[in-house]
Amino acid sequence: MNPLALDLNEKLSKSNPNVADMLSDLGKLIYYPKGILSQSAEAKSTKYNATIGMATYSDRKMYADTLNDVFHHLEPDEIFPYAPPQGLESLRDLWQQKMLKENPDLKKEDFSRPIATNALTHGLSIVGDMFADSGDTLLLPTHNWGNYKLVYSTRHSVDIETYNIFDESGNFTTDGLVKHLENYEKDKVILILNYPNNPTGYTPNKEEVKVMVEAIQSLAERGTNVIAIVDDAYYGLFYEDVYTQSLFTALTNLQQENLLPIRLDGATKEFFAWGLRVGFITFGVNDETTKQVLEAKVKGLIRSNISSGPMPSQSAVKYVLEHPETFEKEIQHNIDTLQARYEVTKSVVYDEKYKKFWQPYDFNSGYFMAVKVQDVKPEELREHLIEHYSIGIIALNATDIRIAFSCIEKDDIPYVFDMIAKAIEDLQAKSE
Ligand SMILES: Cc1ncc(COP(=O)(O)O)c(C=O)c1O
């Protein structure tokens, strides 16, 4: 059991042993992780807060005016009634059209109509309820989003195995995945493929995608049941010549026996609408009965959990999809702003003078980048940066930190990295 859960249970046994006795197995296992959210909370009052998974200007969140204004345009009937568990039908169609437009290689008949979820985490949880049993294996890159552990390991007792997506020099590599899959001998695996990646901001290029997809295909051909979850939270935030269709498309086009591609995407990051809680779950299957059965099962899971998603948010996303003219320009403006920040970040972090402080991991997309820091503990560095430099970063593990350039104004980026270098120097000097 996680030490944080143990601690909560011990406290509860002392404060209220009766309630402690009432907890279910999951009630005993669940805890609130000391992950990104608590590190973000500690960085709340910093001047340069590069911890959060949102996009901000120095004085406000980055959003689209059309979406901000949308509630003035909605009728009461688009706000107050229940939405159906599967989401508004017209919204589902609009999202499907968006998928087809952005993924020219995808054929409409090859995948199910997207079902609305209460954003991506809810989709991950639905997939867990539907496909994960205790003892199953979840295969993740070493660099992954921390919440996968809570969703799959804590709630469903799956075993997590990891593989590296970066070599010693910080360059992206497909070797880790390929080798892991070549040596994989169990009859079932759940994969999460998350590109643009949180926490490193990397998206593979066409050739790399080809290698990854072939490795997954050959595992399925060998008879392993492969549930391939494509977490497309940061879809569309591409700044270089990468594979800009979803990995879901590449996997779905295989129509491979034993392989179930599942796409999770949504308005959260794509539409700069984190709090609206609108996401989608889509299955890469082409058979009508399978599509209907999977939809009925997902509806059952939604009905038995949140009953249905929020009508105002779904109507808002529907509205902007129906009125794309200005909205698309606003979103592009935000993406351009992030791209400009990405370019400054890239020009700064590879500077020779920082070599003794960190080694960057390849990045080309999304909100974040990560570096391996030299001779300092990320957690000490994080605390030092808050205390002495008013800078918030995320300590990822024993060697790496994550910096959200999505939350730092372009002109401040050189200063922020300079101060991170200075803070590392302070700590390096202290330990000498
Ligand atoms: C990789 C990844 N997947 C999923 C999510 C969750 O998205 P949502 O807020 O839509 O639940 C996040 C949010 O930070 C994320 O980084």
Side-chain angles (χ1 to χ4, degrees), residues 119-121 145 148 194 198 231 233-234 268-269 277:
L120 277 88
T121 311
W145 185 45
Y148 297 144
N194 163 231
N198 178 1
D231 177 340
Y234 300 87
T268 309
K269 322 265 178 185
R277 314 309 297 152

Side-chain angles (χ1 to χ4, degrees), residues 281-293:
I281 179 169
T282 308
F283 298 100
V285 293
N286 60 8
D287 163 77
E288 277 313 309
T289 310
T290 313
K291 285 182 191 173
Q292 281 166 20
V293 170

Side-chain angles (χ1 to χ4, degrees), residues 116-117 121-131 281 298 301-302:
T117 62
T121 311
H122 182 215
L124 287 161
S125 193
I126 289 171
V127 175
D129 286 347
M130 209 144 129
F131 296 103
I281 179 169
V298 171
L301 287 171
I302 293 173

Side-chain angles (χ1 to χ4, degrees), residues 40 76 78 112 266 322 360 393:
S40 269
E78 295 174 290
S112 65
E322 281 169 345
I393 51 107

Side-chain angles (χ1 to χ4, degrees), residues 45-94:
S45 54
T46 54
K47 182 154 186 237
Y48 306 99
N49 185 356
T51 61
I52 44 180
M54 291 193 271
T56 61
Y57 294 107
S58 57
D59 56 348
R60 66 172 176 90
K61 303 286 173 288
M62 201 180 286
Y63 51 77
D65 283 333
T66 309
L67 200 43
N68 185 36
D69 198 40
V70 76
F71 293 100
H72 297 303
H73 301 282
L74 298 183
E75 296 299 325
D77 266 3
E78 295 174 290
I79 296 178
F80 297 107
Y82 285 124
Q86 69 277 19
L88 297 175
E89 296 300 345
S90 47
L91 172 66
R92 298 178 61 198
D93 288 336
L94 286 160

Side-chain angles (χ1 to χ4, degrees), residues 53 63 70 82 91 103 112 118 138 147 189 229 287 307 372 414:
Y63 51 77
V70 76
Y82 285 124
L91 172 66
N103 290 265
S112 65
N118 198 17
L138 172 65
N147 209 13
V189 68
I229 306 166
D287 163 77
S307 187
K372 181 192 271 188

